[in-house]
Amino acid sequence: MTSAMVEHKHGEGFSLEDLTPEEQQLLSTIREKKRQLLEEIQELKKEIDDVTTELEGIDMVEESKPDPKTKQISIGKKKFNMDPKKGIEYLIEHSLLQDTADDVARFLFQGEGLNKTAIGDYLGERNEFNVEVLKAFVTLHEFSDMILVQALRQFLWSFRLPGEAQKIDRMMECFAERYCDMNQGVFTSTDTCYVLSFAIIMLNTSLHNPSVKDKPTAERFIQMNRGINDGGDLPEDLLISLYDNIKKEPFKIPEDDGNDLMHTFFNPVKEGWLWKQGGRYKNWKRRWFILNDNCLYYFQYTTDKEPKGIIPLENIQVREVPQDKANKPNCFELYSGGNDIIKACKVDGDGKVVEGRHTVYRMSASNTEEKEEWIRCIK
């Protein structure tokens, strides 16, 4: 073909009549091949999507199946929080804990989902087994190279001190033995450590309890502790440093008022795996969601203690997303109306907490029933 013919063919006036019969046949064959290839590509895409959806569904169903053992542990923890003795008995009966002081102590030390007041009550009981658990519990603490007040802070954060003096007495004796064993030479005897530990706890109350009007001075604290070192006095600079430490920062006493995250996640309204669509890149990531206290929390793994993100549900609505508007089945989304950004936060790659920028949060469930259940619970 001449260049004029090529220009003519590619110009606005191009028609099949300008081609020779051979060229027309070739063009027709190419078009047919193209049509068949496109059909095959679409078919392959559909097959890939179907297989992916099926695999995701199988994976999520497997993950979301309630594990009988996990359920029993959850029941045991709830029983423990209501009645520590019955909770431990239940867990031992169902072979979830061994009937040994070491195993029970480890369970209490890990403490996930356990009420810290209940831990303190159990550790303070007088019977022989509980005393053995207390000793094992204290040995799980690492106090090496810690000043006494640091060790006390760690110890008193792992449970809530009970109110009875005899229980506190047993606990502080065990603490003093462990501290002296790990920091030999600091005190002449465990009795000195024990009495000073009590004095520090009382000092904390006197300095930071609003109902105590007469706040002790450093001099008075020194005077109170005269002669506790096997009849001798402890160095004044040691007592002053302990006083200053407590005055500057009170002990953090664990509260069981339901405001801590572990309490929130322990008894959720609903929990399970969902696929969550990203904001900027629209990619899908599988996350473990927990619904409670009018908030939706999501985690990367079920074992994570801290959530990756928190979505408060105040003034938030939920709706189904038709499949033709989403590239995943069983979708629903949270929205606030209009194009308002939902007030939420998440942890970025550097571990910093940042504000979410979503106007909608879109999720995909493993099946229709799960989707409907999530929508119902969120509503």
Side-chain angles (χ1 to χ4, degrees), residues 10 46 49 72 84 90-91 98 102 106 117 124 126-128 201 229 256 281 289 291 319 325 334 340 356:
H10 289 281
K46 188 174 179 304
D49 286 343
Q72 284 178 333
Y90 175 90
L91 290 164
Q98 293 175 37
D102 285 343
R106 229 179 338 266
T117 300
R126 192 177 174 181
N127 73 61
E128 194 178 329
I201 291 170
N229 194 21
D256 286 310
Y281 300 111
F289 278 80
L291 173 63
R319 63 191 170 201
K325 290 190 177 178
L334 307 174
D340 293 344

Side-chain angles (χ1 to χ4, degrees), residues 154-214:
Q154 180 188 309
F155 184 58
L156 295 176
W157 182 248
S158 61
F159 64 95
R160 187 105 187 258
L161 267 177
E164 298 92 324
Q166 286 181 328
K167 289 185 176 184
I168 298 172
D169 197 52
R170 279 193 293 276
M171 291 171 164
M172 297 316 297
E173 275 186 5
C174 282
F175 165 79
E177 283 174 17
R178 175 68 172 166
Y179 182 82
C180 289
D181 188 46
M182 306 207 77
N183 297 276
Q184 295 190 11
V186 174
F187 298 107
T188 54
S189 71
T190 57
D191 283 347
T192 304
C193 180
Y194 164 78
V195 173
L196 184 57
S197 298
F198 252 120
I200 292 169
I201 291 170
M202 288 191 291
L203 175 69
N204 180 76
T205 304
S206 302
L207 287 175
H208 300 290
N209 188 330
S211 63
V212 178
K213 303 301 179 195
D214 185 19

Side-chain angles (χ1 to χ4, degrees), residues 53-212:
T53 303
E54 194 176 332
L55 286 171
E56 288 169 359
I58 290 167
D59 196 16
M60 288 183 76
V61 167
E62 283 300 313
E63 287 284 358
S64 61
K65 273 183 186 173
D67 176 16
K69 187 178 176 183
T70 304
K71 192 174 180 183
Q72 284 178 333
I73 290 172
S74 177
I75 291 167
K77 286 179 177 180
K78 287 176 187 174
K79 283 181 180 289
F80 178 88
N81 289 341
M82 289 185 284
D83 185 327
K85 186 182 175 188
K86 285 182 181 173
I88 296 297
E89 284 172 357
Y90 175 90
L91 290 164
I92 290 170
E93 280 168 18
H94 289 81
S95 303
L96 301 165
L97 274 181
Q98 293 175 37
D99 191 5
T100 66
D102 285 343
D103 206 40
V104 174
R106 229 179 338 266
F107 171 71
L108 299 180
F109 184 72
Q110 288 162 351
E112 198 170 304
L114 299 182
N115 178 297
K116 290 194 176 182
T117 300
I119 296 173
D121 286 341
Y122 187 85
L123 291 172
E125 284 299 323
R126 192 177 174 181
N127 73 61
E128 194 178 329
F129 184 73
N130 290 59
V131 172
E132 289 303 311
V133 172
L134 171 62
K135 289 176 181 173
F137 179 85
V138 176
T139 61
L140 291 168
H141 287 270
E142 178 58 58
F143 298 137
S144 296
D145 302 319
M146 278 188 184
I147 62 168
L148 182 63
V149 72
Q150 284 177 322
L152 268 173
R153 286 187 193 282
Q154 180 188 309
F155 184 58
L156 295 176
W157 182 248
S158 61
F159 64 95
R160 187 105 187 258
L161 267 177
E164 298 92 324
Q166 286 181 328
K167 289 185 176 184
I168 298 172
D169 197 52
R170 279 193 293 276
M171 291 171 164
M172 297 316 297
E173 275 186 5
C174 282
F175 165 79
E177 283 174 17
R178 175 68 172 166
Y179 182 82
C180 289
D181 188 46
M182 306 207 77
N183 297 276
Q184 295 190 11
V186 174
F187 298 107
T188 54
S189 71
T190 57
D191 283 347
T192 304
C193 180
Y194 164 78
V195 173
L196 184 57
S197 298
F198 252 120
I200 292 169
I201 291 170
M202 288 191 291
L203 175 69
N204 180 76
T205 304
S206 302
L207 287 175
H208 300 290
N209 188 330
S211 63
V212 178

